[in-house]
Amino acid sequence: MAQSQKRQFRDAEITQKQILDAAEIEFSRHGLKGARISAIAKQAKITTAMIHYYFENKEGLYRAVLQRPMEENQQFVEQLELDHLSPEDAITFIIRVAIANEFRNPYRQMLWFQEASQNQGLYFKQGNWSGIFERVIKVLERGIESGDFRPVDDPMLMLTHILGVCIFYFTVQENWQHLTPDVDRLSPEKVEKHTEDAIAFVLAAIKKP
């Protein structure tokens, strides 16, 4: 590939990332129905024509915004060697990764909330999330079979509870900051404390007595 072509490809990548980053914020605040292309363009510091060039329309951009975290998580999960860890160590690692991911992407929980509220998961279901969740459920089932974790009828429900412990902390932050205005719960130190407490809480709940 010629140098000029490489530069054009790189410029296109940068532009698309700027658009997706801005769109993630706008969609997390207003959902698909309330988001405005003009606001996304202003935030990304590009023209609305550029958005239409790369993503065609608002729905196409929304699909891309929802697809991006799925692809990022899919690539990461595929690299994990969870089978070589004990069930307890694997769950501990998964909790750390889940919380770190939320810390890096503070708008995504509201994005999922808007999708559930406005569209009842219509666009969410179009992503291949099942493969990601199946990897975690496999760890839980392995722990149950080995006797490390308590038996349950529905490992998916157990996973739901684990994710709730990890993620709710970030979902309610905008409200709870008014209860303790002097505490920065999104500081690295507080997030690390949340991580350690979440690990202890989850393991106490799922480990077999």
Side-chain angles (χ1 to χ4, degrees):
M1 184 182 293
Q3 191 65 34
S4 61
Q5 290 177 309
K6 288 182 180 179
R7 185 167 59 251
Q8 289 175 357
F9 181 77
R10 178 58 179 159
D11 289 345
E13 278 190 325
I14 293 172
T15 300
Q16 289 181 65
K17 184 179 185 305
Q18 289 175 319
I19 295 171
L20 289 170
D21 288 345
E24 187 169 295
I25 297 173
E26 178 72 3
F27 286 130
S28 72
R29 290 173 176 168
H30 305 290
L32 172 61
K33 297 176 182 178
R36 294 182 296 118
I37 288 290
S38 59
I40 295 170
K42 183 178 180 180
Q43 176 72 22
K45 297 185 169 88
I46 49 91
T47 65
T48 56
M50 191 68 72
I51 294 177
H52 290 293
Y53 174 77
Y54 285 113
F55 299 100
E56 188 174 347
N57 53 35
K58 186 168 73 167
E59 183 179 0
L61 177 56
Y62 183 71
R63 290 177 188 274
V65 167
L66 291 188
Q67 183 74 7
R68 183 168 64 159
M70 191 277 292
E71 291 178 349
E72 290 174 355
N73 282 284
Q74 185 70 44
Q75 291 173 2
F76 181 78
V77 167
E78 288 175 354
Q79 297 173 3
L80 299 181
E81 297 183 354
L82 298 176
D83 293 341
H84 299 290
L85 298 175
S86 69
E88 181 175 334
D89 287 344
I91 288 298
T92 297
F93 182 72
I94 289 168
I95 292 171
R96 287 194 175 279
V97 169
I99 292 176
N101 188 53
E102 292 305 311
F103 185 45
R104 288 193 304 270
N105 301 284
Y107 298 102
R108 287 186 178 170
Q109 279 313 301
M110 284 309 299
L111 181 68
W112 303 130
F113 174 82
Q114 294 284 5
E115 166 63 7
S117 176
Q118 288 191 6
N119 308 311
Q120 292 75 55
L122 174 65
Y123 295 92
F124 175 83
K125 71 179 183 180
Q126 295 173 15
N128 184 24
W129 286 95
S130 59
I132 297 173
F133 295 141
E134 285 171 0
R135 292 289 301 276
V136 183
I137 290 175
K138 182 179 177 182
V139 172
L140 294 173
E141 291 175 339
R142 182 158 59 89
I144 293 170
E145 290 175 4
S146 66
D148 293 304
F149 299 157
R150 62 181 179 83
V152 294
D153 295 329
D154 187 357
M156 185 64 181
L157 180 58
M158 179 182 281
L159 172 59
T160 302
H161 292 155
I162 293 172
L163 292 177
V165 171
C166 295
I167 293 171
F168 188 71
Y169 180 93
F170 300 95
T171 306
V172 301
Q173 169 56 24
E174 292 300 320
N175 291 329
W176 282 16
Q177 65 179 335
H178 302 293
L179 299 178
T180 55
D182 297 330
V183 179
D184 181 8
R185 299 194 182 278
L186 294 184
S187 69
E189 295 77 16
K190 287 296 182 181
V191 172
E192 176 58 26
K193 181 64 167 60
H194 165 53
T195 303
E196 295 300 329
D197 285 353
I199 291 170
F201 189 87
V202 168
L203 290 180
I206 69 174
K207 288 179 67 175
K208 189 174 182 179

